[in-house]
Amino acid sequence: MRVLILIIFFFLLANCRAKESIPNGHKYKNSITECPQDGTCKTELLKNKSLKYLKGSLGELYIEVVDGNLLVLKFEYKRNEIPSMADSNYVEQVYVQIDNENLETQESDLRKTNIIFARFCYCKGQTGYYKIKNGTLTIKRVKDKTYHLILDFTLEEVPQIISKIEETFTL
């Protein structure tokens, strides 16, 4: 009986291993410095896409993600709804358009880049899409096809919760 228990124990011990840090099929690893505890954060890497800038009937900016030959990194923070409060939904999105050919970059003047901040809430006059002009963007190669992106930004037009994004992604 002891031998059987020892064999089972060693069999279980030999088959124990830690889970992989990035499951197969995922193309990025979310490594944001801090996602606020009152919500959830998620990231999508959209290959062969680009951002198309459009103007609404009142001249307001909005975007559409269309087929293209670039990468678009989409980050989203969604605050948990407050059950007892009507219209308590709040979402911030950041779109970073990246050139496939020139991935490694360091930009301190974000006016030259295609980075968009979107804010959706019941916030009269303070919702919509805004071009990010102030901050820094750094993309560095970590491994063969793995890159680390750091975006640190501020907006003048509207308040924001998310101001720094760190992402490691693999192509």
Side-chain angles (χ1 to χ4, degrees), residues 13-151:
L13 186 61
N15 286 316
C16 290
R17 64 182 170 131
K19 290 184 177 182
E20 295 177 22
S21 61
I22 303 175
N24 293 335
H26 287 269
K27 299 297 181 194
Y28 60 87
K29 178 183 175 187
N30 188 3
S31 56
I32 186 169
T33 305
E34 276 187 41
C35 182
Q37 292 184 2
D38 65 345
T40 58
C41 295
K42 71 177 184 177
T43 305
E44 292 179 68
L45 182 63
L46 309 169
K47 293 182 180 182
N48 299 319
K49 299 290 182 185
S50 63
L51 299 177
K52 181 178 180 181
Y53 295 92
L54 303 165
K55 294 271 184 177
S57 61
L58 299 174
E60 72 278 7
L61 171 71
Y62 68 98
I63 63 163
E64 190 176 309
V65 179
V66 296
D67 290 337
N69 59 350
L70 303 172
L71 294 171
V72 175
L73 184 74
K74 177 186 173 188
F75 173 81
E76 180 178 87
Y77 159 68
K78 187 173 185 178
R79 185 176 63 196
N80 298 331
E81 290 188 27
I82 303 167
S84 60
M85 183 181 287
D87 299 324
S88 67
N89 54 334
Y90 182 90
V91 176
E92 288 185 358
Q93 295 174 339
V94 177
Y95 294 86
V96 182
Q97 183 173 280
I98 306 167
D99 184 0
N100 283 332
E101 303 301 318
N102 189 18
L103 271 171
E104 292 191 69
T105 186
Q106 185 146 6
E107 293 279 344
S108 57
D109 185 5
L110 296 183
R111 285 175 262 226
K112 301 175 191 172
T113 61
N114 287 329
I115 304 175
I116 296 292
F117 176 85
R119 183 174 193 242
F120 305 110
C121 57
Y122 188 69
C123 314
K124 293 183 180 185
Q126 296 183 331
T127 187
Y129 293 89
Y130 302 90
K131 186 151 175 48
I132 296 176
K133 301 172 190 166
N134 302 318
T136 57
L137 170 67
T138 306
I139 303 173
K140 292 183 181 178
R141 183 186 306 257
V142 179
K143 292 181 185 173
D144 184 31
K145 291 186 176 186
T146 303
Y147 295 87
H148 187 73
L149 175 142
I150 301 171
L151 174 62

